[in-house]
mmCIF file of all heavy atoms in Angstrom:
data_model
loop_
_atom_site.group_PDB
_atom_site.id
_atom_site.type_symbol
_atom_site.label_atom_id
_atom_site.label_comp_id
_atom_site.label_asym_id
_atom_site.label_seq_id
_atom_site.Cartn_x
_atom_site.Cartn_y
_atom_site.Cartn_z
ATOM 1 N N TYR A 15 -32.595 -28.213 -8.173
ATOM 2 C CA TYR A 15 -32.321 -27.593 -9.468
ATOM 3 C C TYR A 15 -33.467 -27.923 -10.401
ATOM 4 O O TYR A 15 -33.945 -29.051 -10.406
ATOM 5 C CB TYR A 15 -31.009 -28.123 -10.051
ATOM 6 C CG TYR A 15 -29.787 -27.459 -9.472
ATOM 7 C CD1 TYR A 15 -29.027 -28.100 -8.495
ATOM 8 C CD2 TYR A 15 -29.409 -26.190 -9.891
ATOM 9 C CE1 TYR A 15 -27.896 -27.481 -7.967
ATOM 10 C CE2 TYR A 15 -28.279 -25.577 -9.361
ATOM 11 C CZ TYR A 15 -27.529 -26.225 -8.396
ATOM 12 O OH TYR A 15 -26.430 -25.617 -7.875
ATOM 13 N N PRO A 16 -33.902 -26.954 -11.184
ATOM 14 C CA PRO A 16 -34.955 -27.263 -12.164
ATOM 15 C C PRO A 16 -34.428 -28.328 -13.117
ATOM 16 O O PRO A 16 -33.523 -28.067 -13.907
ATOM 17 C CB PRO A 16 -35.187 -25.925 -12.874
ATOM 18 C CG PRO A 16 -34.002 -25.072 -12.552
ATOM 19 C CD PRO A 16 -33.440 -25.572 -11.264
ATOM 20 N N ALA A 25 -30.933 -30.838 -4.254
ATOM 21 C CA ALA A 25 -29.504 -30.646 -4.013
ATOM 22 C C ALA A 25 -29.266 -30.312 -2.545
ATOM 23 O O ALA A 25 -28.201 -30.603 -2.005
ATOM 24 C CB ALA A 25 -28.961 -29.540 -4.908
ATOM 25 N N GLY A 43 -17.519 -31.762 2.647
ATOM 26 C CA GLY A 43 -18.449 -32.787 2.196
ATOM 27 C C GLY A 43 -17.980 -33.346 0.880
ATOM 28 O O GLY A 43 -17.199 -32.708 0.184
ATOM 29 N N PRO A 44 -18.440 -34.575 0.537
ATOM 30 C CA PRO A 44 -17.975 -35.183 -0.716
ATOM 31 C C PRO A 44 -18.465 -34.418 -1.940
ATOM 32 O O PRO A 44 -19.316 -33.542 -1.826
ATOM 33 C CB PRO A 44 -18.564 -36.590 -0.672
ATOM 34 C CG PRO A 44 -19.581 -36.594 0.409
ATOM 35 C CD PRO A 44 -19.321 -35.451 1.304
ATOM 36 N N ASN A 45 -17.945 -34.761 -3.109
ATOM 37 C CA ASN A 45 -18.388 -34.151 -4.369
ATOM 38 C C ASN A 45 -19.894 -34.310 -4.525
ATOM 39 O O ASN A 45 -20.448 -35.371 -4.261
ATOM 40 C CB ASN A 45 -17.714 -34.830 -5.571
ATOM 41 C CG ASN A 45 -16.247 -34.485 -5.668
ATOM 42 O OD1 ASN A 45 -15.430 -35.348 -5.908
ATOM 43 N ND2 ASN A 45 -15.901 -33.236 -5.473
ATOM 44 N N GLY A 46 -20.535 -33.249 -4.951
ATOM 45 C CA GLY A 46 -21.970 -33.320 -5.204
ATOM 46 C C GLY A 46 -22.819 -33.269 -3.958
ATOM 47 O O GLY A 46 -24.027 -33.514 -4.012
ATOM 48 N N SER A 47 -22.224 -32.936 -2.802
ATOM 49 C CA SER A 47 -23.014 -32.918 -1.567
ATOM 50 C C SER A 47 -23.797 -31.610 -1.424
ATOM 51 O O SER A 47 -24.631 -31.493 -0.535
ATOM 52 C CB SER A 47 -22.092 -33.116 -0.358
ATOM 53 O OG SER A 47 -21.062 -32.161 -0.373
ATOM 54 N N GLY A 48 -23.547 -30.636 -2.282
ATOM 55 C CA GLY A 48 -24.351 -29.411 -2.253
ATOM 56 C C GLY A 48 -23.646 -28.196 -1.682
ATOM 57 O O GLY A 48 -24.290 -27.178 -1.410
ATOM 58 N N LYS A 49 -22.327 -28.272 -1.531
ATOM 59 C CA LYS A 49 -21.591 -27.149 -0.939
ATOM 60 C C LYS A 49 -21.682 -25.891 -1.799
ATOM 61 O O LYS A 49 -22.041 -24.807 -1.295
ATOM 62 C CB LYS A 49 -20.108 -27.529 -0.750
ATOM 63 C CG LYS A 49 -19.896 -28.790 0.056
ATOM 64 C CD LYS A 49 -18.439 -29.128 0.211
ATOM 65 C CE LYS A 49 -17.709 -29.429 -1.083
ATOM 66 N NZ LYS A 49 -18.142 -30.636 -1.801
ATOM 67 N N SER A 50 -21.383 -26.041 -3.079
ATOM 68 C CA SER A 50 -21.428 -24.869 -3.964
ATOM 69 C C SER A 50 -22.851 -24.316 -4.037
ATOM 70 O O SER A 50 -23.062 -23.107 -4.077
ATOM 71 C CB SER A 50 -20.957 -25.242 -5.363
ATOM 72 O OG SER A 50 -19.644 -25.738 -5.313
ATOM 73 N N THR A 51 -23.803 -25.209 -4.069
ATOM 74 C CA THR A 51 -25.200 -24.787 -4.132
ATOM 75 C C THR A 51 -25.568 -23.948 -2.911
ATOM 76 O O THR A 51 -26.223 -22.908 -3.031
ATOM 77 C CB THR A 51 -26.106 -26.045 -4.211
ATOM 78 O OG1 THR A 51 -25.630 -26.878 -5.262
ATOM 79 C CG2 THR A 51 -27.542 -25.667 -4.445
ATOM 80 N N LEU A 52 -25.139 -24.394 -1.729
ATOM 81 C CA LEU A 52 -25.461 -23.656 -0.507
ATOM 82 C C LEU A 52 -24.867 -22.243 -0.562
ATOM 83 O O LEU A 52 -25.525 -21.264 -0.204
ATOM 84 C CB LEU A 52 -24.935 -24.419 0.712
ATOM 85 C CG LEU A 52 -25.279 -23.829 2.078
ATOM 86 C CD1 LEU A 52 -26.783 -23.656 2.233
ATOM 87 C CD2 LEU A 52 -24.741 -24.698 3.212
ATOM 88 N N GLN A 92 -15.759 -21.678 -7.804
ATOM 89 C CA GLN A 92 -14.871 -22.822 -7.856
ATOM 90 C C GLN A 92 -13.947 -22.755 -9.071
ATOM 91 O O GLN A 92 -12.783 -23.094 -8.992
ATOM 92 C CB GLN A 92 -15.740 -24.082 -7.926
ATOM 93 C CG GLN A 92 -15.039 -25.337 -7.544
ATOM 94 C CD GLN A 92 -16.026 -26.468 -7.292
ATOM 95 O OE1 GLN A 92 -17.234 -26.264 -7.195
ATOM 96 N NE2 GLN A 92 -15.512 -27.668 -7.182
ATOM 97 N N ASP A 169 -15.495 -20.643 -2.557
ATOM 98 C CA ASP A 169 -15.680 -22.006 -3.028
ATOM 99 C C ASP A 169 -14.329 -22.570 -3.467
ATOM 100 O O ASP A 169 -13.877 -22.312 -4.577
ATOM 101 C CB ASP A 169 -16.686 -22.022 -4.180
ATOM 102 C CG ASP A 169 -17.311 -23.392 -4.368
ATOM 103 O OD1 ASP A 169 -16.794 -24.355 -3.766
ATOM 104 O OD2 ASP A 169 -18.313 -23.493 -5.087
ATOM 105 N N GLU A 170 -13.709 -23.324 -2.597
ATOM 106 C CA GLU A 170 -12.394 -23.922 -2.853
ATOM 107 C C GLU A 170 -11.411 -22.899 -3.417
ATOM 108 O O GLU A 170 -10.873 -23.076 -4.509
ATOM 109 C CB GLU A 170 -12.543 -25.110 -3.805
ATOM 110 C CG GLU A 170 -13.538 -26.123 -3.265
ATOM 111 C CD GLU A 170 -13.625 -27.390 -4.115
ATOM 112 O OE1 GLU A 170 -12.618 -27.742 -4.744
ATOM 113 O OE2 GLU A 170 -14.680 -28.017 -4.124
ATOM 114 N N HIS A 203 -11.867 -28.957 0.328
ATOM 115 C CA HIS A 203 -11.645 -30.406 0.403
ATOM 116 C C HIS A 203 -10.388 -30.715 1.220
ATOM 117 O O HIS A 203 -10.017 -31.866 1.362
ATOM 118 C CB HIS A 203 -11.494 -30.995 -1.000
ATOM 119 C CG HIS A 203 -12.789 -31.146 -1.729
ATOM 120 N ND1 HIS A 203 -13.804 -31.953 -1.266
ATOM 121 C CD2 HIS A 203 -13.264 -30.586 -2.859
ATOM 122 C CE1 HIS A 203 -14.832 -31.899 -2.100
ATOM 123 N NE2 HIS A 203 -14.522 -31.062 -3.076
HETATM 124 N N1 ATP C 301 -26.561 -26.157 -12.598
HETATM 125 C C1 ATP C 301 -27.004 -27.333 -12.129
HETATM 126 N N2 ATP C 301 -28.084 -27.909 -12.664
HETATM 127 C C2 ATP C 301 -28.551 -29.092 -12.210
HETATM 128 N N3 ATP C 301 -28.005 -29.773 -11.188
HETATM 129 C C3 ATP C 301 -26.921 -29.251 -10.598
HETATM 130 C C4 ATP C 301 -26.360 -28.009 -11.034
HETATM 131 N N4 ATP C 301 -25.282 -27.726 -10.271
HETATM 132 C C5 ATP C 301 -25.176 -28.748 -9.398
HETATM 133 N N5 ATP C 301 -26.154 -29.668 -9.580
HETATM 134 C C6 ATP C 301 -26.359 -30.888 -8.791
HETATM 135 O O1 ATP C 301 -26.544 -30.520 -7.441
HETATM 136 C C7 ATP C 301 -25.825 -31.377 -6.572
HETATM 137 C C8 ATP C 301 -24.906 -30.548 -5.677
HETATM 138 O O2 ATP C 301 -23.925 -29.909 -6.480
HETATM 139 P P1 ATP C 301 -22.838 -28.901 -5.892
HETATM 140 O O3 ATP C 301 -22.163 -28.269 -7.048
HETATM 141 O O4 ATP C 301 -23.479 -28.028 -4.900
HETATM 142 O O5 ATP C 301 -21.829 -29.916 -5.186
HETATM 143 P P2 ATP C 301 -20.479 -29.621 -4.402
HETATM 144 O O6 ATP C 301 -20.674 -30.091 -3.012
HETATM 145 O O7 ATP C 301 -20.069 -28.220 -4.599
HETATM 146 O O8 ATP C 301 -19.484 -30.596 -5.143
HETATM 147 P P3 ATP C 301 -17.910 -30.411 -5.487
HETATM 148 O O9 ATP C 301 -17.145 -30.853 -4.298
HETATM 149 O O10 ATP C 301 -17.708 -31.342 -6.626
HETATM 150 O O11 ATP C 301 -17.694 -28.991 -5.866
HETATM 151 C C9 ATP C 301 -25.088 -32.362 -7.449
HETATM 152 O O12 ATP C 301 -25.787 -33.575 -7.408
HETATM 153 C C10 ATP C 301 -25.130 -31.765 -8.832
HETATM 154 O O13 ATP C 301 -25.282 -32.778 -9.782
#
Side-chain angles (χ1 to χ4, degrees):
Chain A
Y15 279 102
N45 289 136
S47 55
K49 305 180 297 294
S50 301
T51 309
L52 184 56
Q92 199 165 348
D169 201 348
E170 305 185 29
H203 283 299

